[in-house]
């Protein structure tokens, strides 16, 4: 590989949410243990971004900063090149993060007590965002057949036809189960939302992280009619490990939805964006595409490592096929442990600091979500610890 995906950076004193969270859970964690929870990478940033920012810092004034024409052009060209999605610069609203964005989107669409449909288990900030703005969370549980997830369209239609439900908060690719929805599945969802008048917030923050056997379709590309009812959340943060830059790009073709969203965003996030974030996004989209292509090969390799370990030593564990994201969903329910017992075993015996499945809703109890965006040797060491904890050496 051209890029360095083997060096591990010790983030224990860098203010990392993930590493600090591990220490809070287990203050006596030995040195050298790496967490696999929060969805950022234990990998060095693309050198094109790092070197570009160094050059930018030699020239820039870090005062109040807004997006430039070059920034918008980088986004437009990336979406066209990687996703065959033709967007206009005026459709883009910048946000300090996708979580902030879908909070603002919910606020801009619903009234208190309105229903917001989610497909569970799902990214846990969905639940808190709906609650924050007085919405009613309507869970349509995904169908799980031996780890392969699909949509219960009959249950989804029942939820859509309820006049109290105004919004679908959708995750594509899906976090945590790793599905990349097919074009046919998206068309069926879109038709239901059009038929029953729902607005769609499509969280597509992982849309660049799609593995070789799958193909991501940007939801809004299915039809102009559907795009007019849609708020699409995108960001370079997951793709290029830039979450700390706090820069996301929310694409809203409909002028009315865009205006309401912008007003809501200003109410809950009054400050401007990170001055370096604009430049980091521009550099990543313009110059780091090859880095991303190599990263995807690493993610596939790491997924194969986990699958091989589970097949050999943990045949009871069901691994959901990974199509998109770098987050692998593992079903440990066959061990019959309570969620508390499973978490304790993982933390204190295996020194495995993943995201516990129950965080993603009741349908996630007994599962673990592990972050694969790390050097392969780090993952191999963690799998050995897991085997020891379950006496599978």
């Amino acid at each position: 590989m051209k890029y360095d995906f083997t060096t591990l950076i010790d983030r224990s004193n860098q203010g990392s949410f993930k590493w600090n969270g591990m220490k809070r859970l287990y203050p006596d964690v030995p040195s050298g243990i790496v967490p696999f929870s929060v969805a950022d990478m234990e990998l060095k940033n693309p050198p094109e971004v790092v070197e570009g920012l160094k050059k930018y810092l030699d020239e820039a004034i870090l005062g109040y900063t807004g997006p430039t024409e070059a920034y918008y052009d980088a986004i437009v060209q990336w979406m066209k090149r990687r996703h065959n999605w033709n967007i206009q610069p005026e459709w883009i609203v910048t946000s300090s993060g996708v979580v902030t964005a879908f909070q603002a989107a919910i606020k801009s669409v619903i009234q208190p007590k309105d229903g917001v449909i989610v497909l569970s288990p799902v990214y846990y900030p969905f639940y808190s965002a709906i609650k924050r703005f007085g919405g009613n969370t309507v869970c349509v549980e995904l169908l799980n057949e031996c780890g392969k997830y699909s949509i219960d369209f009959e249950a989804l239609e029942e939820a859509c036809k309820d006049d109290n439900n105004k919004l679908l908060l959708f995750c594509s690719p899906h976090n945590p189960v790793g599905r990349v929805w097919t074009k046919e599945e998206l068309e069926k969802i879109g038709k239901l939302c059009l038929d029953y008048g729902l607005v769609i917030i499509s969280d597509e923050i992982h849309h660049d992280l799609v593995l070789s056997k799958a193909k991501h379709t940007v939801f809004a590309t299915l039809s102009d009619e559907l795009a007019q009812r849609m708020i699409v959340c995108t960001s370079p943060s997951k793709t290029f490990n830039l979450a700390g830059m706090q820069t996301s790009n929310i694409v809203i073709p409909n002028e009315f939805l865009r205006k309401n969203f912008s007003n809501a965003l200003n109410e809950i996030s009054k400050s401007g964006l990170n001055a370096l974030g604009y430049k980091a996004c521009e550099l990543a989209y313009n110059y780091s595409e090859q880095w991303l292509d190599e990263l995807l090969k690493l993610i596939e390799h790491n997924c194969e490592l986990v699958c091989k370990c589970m097949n050999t030593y943990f045949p009871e564990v069901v691994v959901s096929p990974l199509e998109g994201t770098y987050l692998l969903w593992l079903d440990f329910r066959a061990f019959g442990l309570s969620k508390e017992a499973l978490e304790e075993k993982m933390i204190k015996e295996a020194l495995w600091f993943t995201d516990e499945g129950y965080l993603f809703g009741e349908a996630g109890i007994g599962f673990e979500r592990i972050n694969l965006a790390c050097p392969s040797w780090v993952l191999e060491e963690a799998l050995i610890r897991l085997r020891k904890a379950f006496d599978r050496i």
Side-chain angles (χ1 to χ4, degrees), residues 267-282:
E267 290 180 21
I268 67 175
S269 180
K270 294 184 183 302
S271 61
L273 301 191
N274 187 319
L276 295 181
Y278 293 115
K279 181 56 67 172
C281 175
E282 180 187 330

Side-chain angles (χ1 to χ4, degrees), residues 17-245:
F17 285 179
K18 187 194 299 183
W19 287 64
N20 288 351
M22 174 177 68
K23 193 70 174 177
R24 283 194 300 272
L25 281 172
Y26 193 22
D28 298 324
V29 62
S31 63
I33 300 299
V34 177
F36 300 95
S37 52
V38 176
D40 61 14
M41 304 181 196
E42 300 304 321
L43 300 167
K44 296 173 71 174
N45 288 106
E48 296 87 356
V49 174
V50 175
E51 295 305 316
L53 287 176
K54 288 178 181 179
K55 181 180 179 181
Y56 177 68
L57 283 169
D58 287 336
E59 305 166 351
I61 299 296
L62 299 179
Y64 295 114
T65 305
T68 63
E69 184 177 336
Y71 171 80
Y72 285 124
D73 185 64
I75 299 165
V76 169
Q77 295 304 319
W78 180 264
M79 297 305 173
K80 183 176 182 179
R81 189 167 67 249
R82 294 291 292 198
H83 298 287
N84 195 30
W85 187 22
N86 295 308
I87 66 173
Q88 301 299 319
E90 59 268 23
W91 296 355
I92 301 169
V93 183
T94 59
S95 165
S96 60
V98 161
V99 172
T100 301
F102 62 66
Q103 288 177 346
I106 292 168
K107 177 178 172 60
S108 71
V109 172
I110 71 166
Q111 298 296 321
K113 306 300 182 181
D114 282 347
V116 180
I117 302 168
V118 300
L119 304 181
S120 64
V122 75
Y123 182 48
Y124 45 87
F126 278 19
Y127 302 113
S128 56
I130 296 167
K131 183 178 180 180
R132 177 180 178 183
F133 297 106
N136 176 36
T137 302
V138 179
C139 288
V140 174
E141 191 169 323
L142 292 168
L143 302 174
N144 179 1
E145 185 175 353
C146 299
K148 177 73 172 181
Y149 283 84
S150 60
I151 297 168
D152 184 342
F153 282 102
E154 184 175 334
L156 179 60
E157 180 165 15
E158 287 301 310
C160 288
K161 69 169 57 172
D162 186 335
D163 290 338
N164 295 310
N165 299 334
K166 308 298 184 184
L167 181 63
L168 172 66
L169 182 51
F170 188 64
C171 200
S172 178
H174 193 88
N175 175 10
V177 308
R179 273 300 316 276
V180 173
W181 307 113
T182 65
K183 183 178 180 181
E184 291 72 25
E185 287 172 313
L186 294 174
E187 286 173 341
K188 291 177 72 172
I189 298 167
K191 185 176 186 305
L192 288 175
C193 291
L194 289 174
D195 287 347
Y196 296 107
L198 275 73
V199 173
I200 303 168
I201 302 171
S202 188
D203 176 3
E204 303 195 22
I205 193 171
H206 294 276
H207 70 172
D208 297 316
L209 298 162
V210 174
L211 304 189
S212 58
K213 294 181 180 179
K215 177 177 173 54
H216 177 79
T217 300
V218 174
F219 207 164
T221 62
L222 294 183
S223 72
D224 290 339
E225 183 182 15
L226 200 55
Q228 290 299 314
R229 301 194 64 83
M230 192 166 295
I231 297 168
V232 183
C233 301
T234 78
S235 174
S237 60
K238 302 301 182 189
T239 309
F240 299 104
N241 205 23
L242 298 173
M245 289 295 177

